[in-house]
Amino acid sequence: MSFYRNAVWFVKGLQEYTKSGYEAAAKQFNTGDLDVNLSGRSFVITGANSGIGKATAHEIAKRGGIVHLVCRNKERAQEAKEEIVEHSKNQNVHVHIVDMSSARQVWEFAESFSKSNSIHVLINNAGCMVNQKELTEEGVEKNFATNTLGTFILTTALIPALKQAQDPRVITVSSGGMLVQKMKVDDLQSEKGMFDGTMAYAQNKRQQVILTERWASQHKEIHFSSMHPGWADTPAVQLSMPDFHAKMKNKLRTESMGADTVVWLAVSAVASKQPSGLFFQDRMAVPTHLPLASSRSSPADEEKLQAILEQLAHKFKP
């Protein structure tokens, strides 16, 4: 079954996830959707010092939004801020140094941020694909810690502040790679068998999609969505998937193409009219499972995922 999923997914990817796939989809876009003034609206973007996160921050700053860059590396974050301010002429760009793989740091940031800032939109973009098994200082597998647990803690900790805002939204940058995975709720940290960083990442991205659906059903006041940016030429792809990048680099999307649907979900009026909890690709809601792929989890397993994350999050709460 996994061979079937992978084969179907790769053919789909060549058609839809590449630069030519974006260009074909973009013919249907309404360019007016992004003609908005974001003055007074506050956006928190994780992993915002490069790639899709930085491209998203650029677009939001250009439209007058208050931008909070949540980054691990202070130097690169400061460089990104200066570039965004220079290009957008928007001084309302702020840097917060947080390692999203550290549950305690994420908690501390969310709690201090909520006390002194408003938030209208959270964009969960930070991610990693570590190909050798690695544990954080807290003893959590690094991919899971960053992609799933960090995202879970930040989102749940900011939900009360989001509920105070007008038109609150949460967008999680997932990946089409999750289509090849059925969630393994009894092996969330990839401890069984040979470790495969690409598959661990795809598992995390499946977990994010399930969490988005659950949050949407539990918090009706907030509009939740997840999305696939396509195959984009970002520093993360170059670093984590060098072979894939070398073979595909002429077909990959630009960072701004990858960011387009994130921006659309974050700022457009039409996006907020879509049902909450959906998975998007090129401004369209798309299925979260391939045909006949047997990748659906039971409601009990999805509930168990959230319960495990709540227990882990509580364990690291300062």
Side-chain angles (χ1 to χ4, degrees), residues 248-300:
M248 297 293 295
K249 64 182 176 186
N250 295 327
K251 294 184 171 68
L252 298 179
R253 298 178 175 203
T254 65
E255 292 171 349
S256 60
M257 288 175 179
D260 176 80
T261 295
V262 186
V263 177
W264 182 81
L265 287 166
V267 310
S268 74
V270 69
S272 65
K273 293 181 172 66
Q274 298 274 338
S276 186
L278 299 181
F279 177 66
F280 288 82
Q281 173 189 312
D282 293 334
R283 304 193 190 182
M284 295 249 324
V286 293
T288 55
H289 299 276
L290 294 169
L292 309 173
S294 304
S295 53
R296 294 180 192 277
S297 298
S298 68

Side-chain angles (χ1 to χ4, degrees), residues 170-173 212 223-227 265 275-280:
V170 175
I171 299 101
T172 298
V173 179
T212 295
H223 190 275
F224 290 89
S225 51
S226 57
M227 61 78 66
L265 287 166
S276 186
L278 299 181
F279 177 66
F280 288 82

Side-chain angles (χ1 to χ4, degrees), residues 172-215:
T172 298
V173 179
S174 180
S175 168
M178 66 94 192
L179 291 167
V180 304
Q181 293 291 311
K182 178 180 180 179
M183 180 182 64
K184 300 173 183 172
V185 76
D186 295 320
D187 190 25
L188 293 177
Q189 296 192 51
S190 306
E191 294 166 298
K192 298 176 182 175
M194 285 282 289
F195 182 79
D196 181 329
T198 307
M199 290 303 106
Y201 176 84
Q203 276 285 319
N204 300 159
K205 294 295 159 179
R206 170 63 73 189
Q207 293 154 14
Q208 289 178 341
V209 169
I210 291 169
L211 288 170
T212 295
E213 293 168 348
R214 291 189 64 78
W215 285 327

Side-chain angles (χ1 to χ4, degrees), residues 139-176:
V140 182
E141 191 275 314
K142 189 73 171 277
N143 294 296
F144 175 80
T146 307
N147 302 327
T148 303
L149 183 59
T151 296
F152 178 83
I153 292 172
L154 185 60
T155 304
T156 51
L158 290 178
I159 278 173
L162 283 157
K163 286 183 177 178
Q164 303 300 312
Q166 185 177 6
D167 186 19
R169 309 184 192 190
V170 175
I171 299 101
T172 298
V173 179
S174 180
S175 168

Side-chain angles (χ1 to χ4, degrees), residues 26-35 264 270 283:
K27 290 173 184 172
Q28 307 302 318
F29 292 175
N30 180 353
T31 51
D33 286 355
L34 301 185
D35 291 343
W264 182 81
V270 69
R283 304 193 190 182

